[in-house]
Amino acid sequence: MQSQDVAPRPAPASSGPVVDVEQAEAALVEHYPRLVRLAYLVLPPSLGRNRRVLTAHALTQRALPRGRTSGDASVIPAQPTGGGRDGDPGYAFVRLQVVRTALEAGLPLRRKAWPKRSQLPPLLPQVWGLRLFPRSGGADELALDQRLSALSGPARAAYVLRGLEKLSDTNVRKVLTATGVEDPGAALAEAGGVEAQDALLDSPEFDPCSLHARPTDLMRRRQHMKAALAATAAVAVCGALLGLPGDGWGPDGAAAPSYAQNPAAEAALDPGKLTRVAALAWESSARTDFSVWPARGSLVHDTALLRRALAVWARPGESVQVSATPGTPSGAPAGPPQLLYAGEVDQARVVLLYDGLRIARYAEPKDGTSGAALDFARVDGAGGAEAEAVVVGRADSNVRYLTAPWVTKAAERDLMKPSSGAMDLTLSADGVTSPLASPATQAGTCTSWNVLQLKDDSGTTHLMTDLGELAPAHLTAGRPSAPHEASGAQSLRTWSPFACSLAAVRSQGVRSVNAWPYAQQPLPDASGSAAWVCTRADTWRGGGTRVLAQFRTPGGTYGAVAAKAENSPACGSRDPHVLAGVLWKSAAGSWYLLAAGSQDTESIRATGGVRGASQGNLLTVRAKQGAQASLKGTLSDGRQISGLR
């Protein structure tokens, strides 16, 4: 049962830094995407995604003060994590206004009271003829959104201020009090009942500035010259709907009404024109990509199913759950796509299609025609291991793959247990694996990370991991200039302590992840030797790469992230170098700054809170707890590099 939002009481007056319109406007413009995300998360999901998006933008745009003001900003704490927002009264004031109005927008309308402006549909911004909604996330994001929807408005605000704004409970209490919440303590307690998943709050699922657009009911928007023609069209549409058999599905299934009469578009929707590759074409082809996959499955000749899949791809109706990896367009195919699979998987009928750029997966229940889903993944340029498996079904935290025709063996192994053997998976005649546990859906403490192990007809073994998308990510190991398969004994040992870090790149459109052990560092006080590993996740779209420099002490089960960067060339083929550092406490109780660079680092220098220098690619300097330092390195060719950040 959902909790009811509690009406904020009038905020107490206070005095503090004076905030004028210019200062607040500068903060709003600089941090607009973050403020809109904050509003979107605090607003009740019951509004629906389209209105929630527009309301979040409207509330943020109306957050500017009417003139010079004081008081509100003084109760908003500075961010403890650094950044341009720290100590900025303008940002503090605007954030307070956004939270206050978002809480007001979630209050129920009352008969004997005038509604507040934030409770009404926004006048601006307005978008006509389109429904807007953020990108669909994975199972974790959906579960978090459902848990947040069950919270009261103040509790939802407390959860978001904790996780997104990184405020302490004391500071969250101050913010809620300033917005007029009557019992901030109760809101904090209620928010504490939801597991903290701070990283998910930054996911595309909750980004109202990066949106998908779908048309509204285009039939209703057609302009008619005469009222009689409009009435006739409405009667015709209603009559057609009433005349549908069963539960109301026509030949196009869950597709929206057709709004394009174009020969090329019509050809793309004709099941008879689907590209079907011969079963043995791959054996004589020099290509090892999806273009030589044959059409497989027991339903490849089910014309009605294929027609529904193509129609929903072109025009997904409002009831269709659509998801796409970041950077993947979800529009209709330009021409007839290639049929990869059509068959029954668990309790669903599934169709896999390929248009040269994307894999599209259409699924509908076997026992009905409601609840259709459409998923997209970008796979342009895939070849070899990257074109050896596609997710064909998910059920009960398990995943099944459709494998390439040249895959001869499939197995499951725990990446965290390199000495354990792989467990064989059954391959059906169509190339579908038996179910294996998916790490993409696991919650809580990471104690295992199951990966798919595939062997091709040449005898090469590849490792793939499910990150919550159609295309699994290819795992490799070694130097960025010459990565190799991660299936060897040494590579498995390299990956083992860092397997759980793959959770940080779930649902990000990741193509491959490489683990590069770039340094071994002797620890002070005779504490053994620590390993430095750089993991780099490259994406199908090119941007959005994630780089983690990780540090592991002897005997440690997990590695620790020492530094991270996004859209950085570090640890990649274009810039196979890295430098990172970490504060470390020895068993004797002494603190040290430890830093390591790749092998071609000739010297390292630390400045700031810790000062020191060394020749070579390792640096060890005594430090104090909490000290902060900047790192600079010099490579063998004389080039300067900075610490990863």
Side-chain angles (χ1 to χ4, degrees):
M1 181 177 68
Q2 292 191 358
S3 301
Q4 295 295 319
D5 290 342
V6 180
R9 56 181 170 79
S14 60
S15 59
V18 174
V19 181
D20 56 28
V21 175
E22 290 79 9
Q23 188 177 8
E25 182 180 18
L28 189 149
V29 171
E30 181 180 358
H31 303 294
Y32 185 81
R34 187 178 192 87
L35 289 164
V36 177
R37 183 188 290 263
L38 175 65
Y40 183 85
L41 285 163
V42 175
L43 286 168
S46 59
L47 291 176
R49 292 197 292 175
N50 182 72
R51 180 172 169 185
R52 200 172 161 199
V53 165
L54 295 177
T55 302
H57 283 275
L59 298 182
T60 304
Q61 293 171 15
R62 295 205 305 263
L64 291 177
R66 298 182 182 277
R68 295 171 64 85
T69 186
S70 67
D72 287 339
S74 65
V75 301
I76 310 300
Q79 295 293 111
T81 55
R85 304 184 306 275
D86 289 9
D88 181 357
Y91 177 79
F93 178 87
V94 173
R95 178 175 63 185
L96 176 62
Q97 296 300 105
V98 167
V99 174
R100 175 184 291 141
T101 54
L103 288 174
E104 291 175 349
L107 298 177
L109 294 174
R110 303 184 185 280
R111 291 185 177 180
K112 297 183 179 181
W114 286 100
K116 295 180 180 294
R117 183 180 179 187
S118 55
Q119 292 177 272
L120 300 174
L123 296 176
L124 291 173
Q126 278 288 353
V127 178
W128 296 95
L130 289 175
R131 292 184 295 108
L132 302 178
F133 51 91
R135 298 170 179 170
S136 297
D140 292 339
E141 287 84 350
L142 177 60
L144 177 60
D145 197 37
Q146 291 173 343
R147 288 193 290 270
L148 291 180
S149 68
L151 297 177
S152 66
R156 200 161 46 244
Y159 184 92
V160 175
L161 290 169
R162 273 174 173 168
L164 186 67
E165 292 292 287
K166 309 298 185 199
L167 299 185
S168 66
D169 284 1
T170 300
N171 291 334
V172 171
R173 192 185 302 271
K174 292 180 180 179
V175 176
L176 295 179
T177 300
T179 62
V181 172
E182 292 185 352
D183 192 349
L188 281 165
E190 185 182 353
V194 178
E195 179 186 357
Q197 294 180 295
D198 298 353
L200 293 183
L201 296 178
D202 283 314
S203 74
E205 171 81 13
F206 305 117
D207 183 5
C209 291
S210 180
L211 301 169
H212 284 301
R214 288 288 183 273
T216 55
D217 190 346
L218 299 176
M219 298 294 289
R220 294 184 181 180
R221 288 169 41 203
R222 289 181 177 175
Q223 295 183 352
H224 299 278
M225 297 298 294
K226 297 180 180 180
L229 292 178
T232 302
V235 170
V237 172
C238 293
L241 291 176
L242 290 173
L244 290 176
D247 51 7
W249 271 43
D252 291 348
S258 176
Y259 50 84
Q261 298 297 325
N262 177 280
E266 291 178 349
L269 303 181
D270 185 353
K273 295 185 178 180
L274 283 170
T275 301
R276 298 170 186 257
V277 176
L280 301 180
W282 64 272
E283 293 185 354
S284 58
S285 175
R287 306 184 67 159
T288 55
D289 56 23
F290 293 110
S291 69
V292 293
W293 277 35
R296 291 173 286 176
S298 60
L299 301 178
V300 291
H301 299 296
D302 188 335
T303 302
L305 171 64
L306 299 178
R307 185 183 303 279
R308 290 196 297 271
L310 290 168
V312 170
W313 183 352
R315 309 182 311 277
E318 292 188 0
S319 64
V320 179
Q321 300 178 30
V322 181
S323 70
T325 57
T328 305
S330 57
Q338 177 184 341
L339 176 62
L340 302 182
Y341 180 84
E344 294 185 349
V345 181
D346 296 321
Q347 299 302 312
R349 290 185 290 262
V350 176
V351 179
L352 289 176
L353 300 164
Y354 171 63
D355 70 349
L357 171 68
R358 303 162 292 175
I359 295 286
R361 175 184 179 271
Y362 169 80
E364 64 183 39
K366 284 198 298 186
D367 56 357
T369 51
S370 62
L374 184 64
D375 304 310
F376 294 96
R378 185 170 171 176
V379 292
D380 49 315
E386 295 169 348
E388 285 192 347
V390 174
V391 171
V392 72
R394 297 183 186 275
D396 301 326
S397 299
N398 294 324
V399 61
R400 289 180 187 264
Y401 294 93
L402 177 67
T403 59
W406 54 85
V407 169
T408 60
K409 187 177 181 181
E412 174 184 6
R413 71 157 54 247
D414 187 349
L415 196 59
M416 295 186 66
K417 299 175 181 177
S419 58
S420 299
M423 182 176 65
D424 288 345
L425 296 172
T426 302
L427 280 178
S428 72
D430 293 327
V432 176
T433 68
S434 53
L436 65 152
S438 170
T441 58
Q442 67 181 2
T445 304
C446 177
T447 57
S448 64
W449 193 276
N450 296 318
V451 296
L452 176 67
Q453 181 173 289
L454 298 176
K455 187 176 182 180
D456 62 26
D457 59 343
S458 70
T460 305
T461 302
H462 312 281
L463 292 187
M464 316 294 290
T465 184
D466 179 27
L467 295 177
E469 299 167 329
L470 284 182
H474 181 206
L475 299 181
T476 59
R479 289 189 58 82
S481 56
H484 51 77
E485 297 300 329
S487 54
Q490 182 57 48
S491 297
L492 290 173
R493 287 192 292 270
T494 296
W495 260 111
S496 173
F498 309 103
C500 290
S501 67
L502 290 167
V505 291
R506 283 186 289 202
S507 302
Q508 297 299 315
V510 172
R511 181 174 189 165
S512 62
V513 188
N514 184 61
W516 172 32
Y518 68 90
Q520 287 282 334
Q521 183 168 23
L523 297 173
D525 301 339
S527 301
S529 182
W532 287 90
V533 171
C534 187
T535 57
R536 178 183 175 88
D538 287 303
T539 67
W540 290 99
R541 64 190 183 278
T545 57
R546 304 285 184 93
V547 181
L548 301 179
Q550 304 192 62
F551 175 80
R552 183 199 178 206
T553 54
T557 303
Y558 306 100
V561 176
K564 58 184 177 180
E566 188 170 348
N567 292 319
S568 168
C571 300
S573 58
R574 292 182 180 274
D575 189 17
H577 312 286
V578 66
L579 172 63
V582 67
L583 279 179
W584 176 78
K585 183 181 180 181
S586 70
S590 300
W591 284 90
Y592 295 88
L593 170 65
L594 306 178
S598 44
Q599 291 298 318
D600 56 352
T601 304
E602 288 197 340
S603 64
I604 301 175
R605 184 176 72 259
T607 58
V610 181
R611 294 182 175 273
S614 70
Q615 295 297 311
N617 69 320
L618 302 175
L619 171 69
T620 302
V621 182
R622 279 190 174 273
K624 294 182 179 180
Q625 181 179 1
Q628 296 185 354
S630 297
L631 295 175
K632 295 287 185 181
T634 303
L635 301 179
S636 55
D637 61 2
R639 184 161 70 92
Q640 299 287 317
I641 61 172
S642 301
L644 187 70
R645 55 182 307 168

